[in-house]
Amino acid sequence: MFSGLALMVVAIPVNAGMASFTRKFQLEQMLNKDKRVKLMNEILSGVKVLKLYGWEKSFMAQILDIRDKEIHVLKKTGYLGAMINFIWISIPFLITLLCFATYIFMGDGNILTPDKAFVTLSYLNIMRMPMAVLPFMIIGLVQVGVSLDRVNRYMNGEDLNESAVGHDESEADPLVIQKGTFSWGKEEKPVLEDINIHVKKGSLTAVVGTVGAGKSSLISAFLGELDMDQGRVNVNGTVAYVPQQAWMQNTSLENNILFSKDSNRKRYTEIIGACALESDIAILPGGDQTEIGEKGINLSGGQKQRVSLARAVYSDADLYLMDDPLSAVDSHVGKHIFEKVISHEGLLKDKTRILVTHGITYLPKTDFIIVLKNGRVSEQGTYKQLIERKGDFADFLLEYMNEEDEEDVEEIKHQLEETLGKEEFQKELVRRASVNSQDHHHQEEQEAVHNGEVGTEK
Ligand SMILES: Nc1ncnc2c1ncn2[C@@H]1O[C@H](COP(=O)(O)OP(=O)(O)OP(=O)(O)O)[C@@H](O)[C@H]1O
Ligand SMILES: [Mg+2]
């Protein structure tokens, strides 16, 4: 009997080893699956582009490559499973054999009579069933272990700190950041540093800065989406957010604007008009009942932006955070929307508004301007104050002057001319124009060199 037990004891470490292999394979398999599902997702969401450029073959090759790896691991797992099964199924038989053999060979008086043999056999038979189930249990346990690990890691992933944004009612200004330093993750370096901002109730504040200066990050800081390393954020009132990338629901255009709020026809039509959506709705095949495809594929970028803005306006919140909502619309439509929605004559005239923008023509009509540069507030003040400082804001105006319609910037040009002095202003303009054309020239030269190289290679 003991020899049988000894065999079982020997079998345990062998099985432990096999189980650890099973675990390793299982982990590998899950990683492969993750990769495949991620790639597949990417393919399905971008299937239009993929078809357009004829990339099916190369993507198929990538998927097949991962599948090959999966099959390889599956094969190994299969072999291992078969071995474990074999061992545990043959163990009861081996135990019986060993028991009888040791019994017989232990001493001369030991004779295997039927009564002894059958009793032993029936005992061993009782063990057979649990033994047969054991391998499945081991494999199952390993799989559960691996899955639990993964689910655990996901469920216990770090959450955003919900108390990062305070709602202290005693604060006079609805939007406040004090000495704030923010980053896009615990280990990342800060994107915004030493931010001090107070936005007055009912005011229109513009946020300007070059690409990547941290304007969208500043809005995210108010929304509590950034990690706050230091400082204090206080937001009082309901918030409507117009993201830089407008997003659409897969439902009718009307529902996209109402966004599950009660329908108020008068208000709805007013907003449609103010957001310059009437002509678009007239073109769409089903009017405002047209189904908007996933991610708004049947709308243009500018249309999406305007629907997104209309949705925010309809929501009737206290605070409006608008991240470059007019970047993809024509300048005259942009002007219309600015006047009818955002400005002091618009639908949002009583609300507290933050407008991120590159459109310098709107800036004279704002109450306050915040200039961001490399993640810091380089200047803030009214339009007049900033222009008189002749600092980063004046630079910003000069930089973007060439991108606007002539007649729109006439007034701004005039103001800059007054503060900088006519000569200096002209000098700056000429300098910038020549820098631009030099860049252009440089680029052309590079292209020529590049083409030349390609030519010689051939
Ligand atoms: N979701 C994000 N996760 C991690 N880093 C981000 C994220 N969004 C922006 N960043 C980083 O923050 C920095 C500032 O980017 P941000 O989007 O705030 O610039 P921006 O001023 O809005 O530029 P733009 O004018 O192009 O909209 C960039 O260096 C960018 O890499
Ligand atoms: Mg941005």
Side-chain angles (χ1 to χ4, degrees), residues 212 214-217 244 323-324 356 358:
K215 303 180 295 296
S216 303
S217 304
Q244 192 164 17
D323 196 347
D324 223 350
V356 173
H358 286 121

Side-chain angles (χ1 to χ4, degrees), residues 218-317:
L218 182 71
I219 302 274
S220 302
F222 277 121
L223 296 172
E225 281 173 13
L226 281 181
D227 269 318
M228 184 165 59
D229 304 334
Q230 262 178 43
R232 192 174 80 91
V233 181
N234 200 63
V235 174
N236 282 333
T238 51
V239 176
Y241 169 48
V242 184
Q244 192 164 17
Q245 292 284 333
W247 62 270
M248 292 292 124
Q249 277 188 309
N250 193 357
T251 167
S252 70
L253 189 124
E254 184 186 8
N255 286 339
N256 257 298
I257 294 174
L258 298 183
F259 204 49
S260 336
K261 289 240 178 325
D262 294 337
S263 169
N264 176 343
R265 214 58 220 174
K266 186 164 160 275
R267 202 173 137 66
Y268 175 76
T269 347
E270 193 181 12
I271 291 172
I272 294 280
C275 291
L277 276 165
E278 278 154 340
S279 54
D280 303 282
I281 290 178
I283 299 171
L284 286 170
D288 64 358
Q289 296 307 315
T290 311
E291 275 297 301
I292 308 301
E294 209 152 326
K295 293 183 190 154
I297 47 173
N298 48 351
L299 290 185
S300 75
Q303 284 172 334
K304 272 189 273 187
Q305 273 192 337
R306 278 173 288 146
V307 172
S308 174
L309 184 67
R311 180 194 297 145
V313 177
Y314 195 85
S315 76
D316 195 26

